[in-house]
Amino acid sequence: MNQKPIPNRRNFIKRFSLALGTTALGIPLLNLSSCQSEGGGNEQAGTADQDQQEQANTRKLGIALVGLGQYSKEQLAPALKETKHCYLAGIVTGTPSKVAEWQKAYNIADKNVYNYQNFDQIKDNPDIDVVYVVLPNSMHAEYTIRAAKAGKHVICEKPMATTVEDCQRMLDACRENNVTLAIGYRLHFEPYNQRVMELGQKQVFGKVKSIKADNSQDMTKDSPDVWRLDRKLSGGGPLMDVGIYCVQGACYTMGRDPVAVTAQFGKVTNPEYFKDVEESISWQLEFPDGVIANSNTSYSTEANLLAGEAENGWWRVSPAYAYDGKEGETSEGKMDYPQVFEQALQMDGISQSILENKPTKVPGEMGLRDVKIMEAIYEAARTGKRVTIPA
Ligand code: NAD
């Protein structure tokens, strides 16, 4: 698979160092521009940069998916057939019956198939550069840390973890082992959401005055016996799963981190499903200059909106967070951007940043920030008080 041997690969693929221009919580400010290469530097640096660019253009990173559930099977693996900078090299599964089908569909060698017990042996496998953790939320920390200890770069699905402490342990492990930690925030690679980042952060219609972000998915049509409704595995209800996109949307509209939040749990209308996690929750995120982002997320209705109002205009993307079919409008007319395979662009974008030793647009620090915000939202809803979000 287009694998040119690279001298001194370990030296070349190093952990990124965080970019200049970060928010208080350490997130690169204008994510739109953080993928652009930086100019300047001396001639030697230019040559080294060109070398890295060339390597990045000719070599594909081998990705191993950990957890072969719905998202891996229906989105990530097919996306890895389209990517230019990475490919599906390995799988990690606890279900042996899935192995043959995956090996056949993706031409995966026997030596690149692992289970949860022998997973740590992946450290001796040069075919695998990146481990992509696609397991239930509470398992993200363990597998990210084990992957980091095996010397592999990590992409971890959202939410990064179910507690701030776990996020911190994951960041520490990746830092100690000199590997990248990126979060599977695909919308940073998608044109409609990128346009919202531009409209808000570059103040195209003047200062942002307010944001509305809703994301709800009805879970009550299927069985209640799923990990998403089990707090031990999910860490919470719709907020952790789909509401996180509203938190993200508000932050990337503003290009800043929120400072405080108020929140309210919705009524439980279906106790058979919502014994353990919230059925719905609303919250109001406050940004430093008083801008409020109003959001709601629910597991018993459907919604999919990211909208903003600025001094001289407005925008509205709906659906904003779905895998495809994005539609949007601004005060100047219909938004018209290509529909893209965003998981392919996301994995290519992250792989390129690893290959070129540049910061990723979606670092672990961003995942930690969002888990801090979600913990504050839950605390605000539980206490009925305005909760300050720690920096
Ligand atoms: P899923 O239930 O379809 O798959 C989960 C996988 O984990 C299965 O292969 C299952 O066998 C395995 N697993 C291992 N131990 C398990 C346990 N104790 N209980 C249950 N399953 C166990 O879930 P999914 O929809 O693929 O979600 C996986 C992760 O991906 C979650 O963190 C989710 O938030 C994330 N996700 C992200 C997106 C996105 O758009 N970025 C979309 C869907 C899911």
Side-chain angles (χ1 to χ4, degrees), residues 69-71 135 137 140 157-158 186 227-228 245 323:
Q70 205 175 356
Y71 193 53
L135 290 164
N137 306 340
H140 292 180
E157 256 317 315
K158 45 59 54 177
R186 58 188 160 79
W227 68 261
R228 282 183 166 82
Y245 287 97
Y323 302 143

Side-chain angles (χ1 to χ4, degrees), residues 176-193:
E176 279 158 22
N177 290 283
N178 219 27
V179 295
T180 291
L181 174 53
I183 308 302
Y185 285 140
R186 58 188 160 79
L187 296 174
H188 289 254
F189 302 85
E190 186 283 318
Y192 282 80
N193 284 273

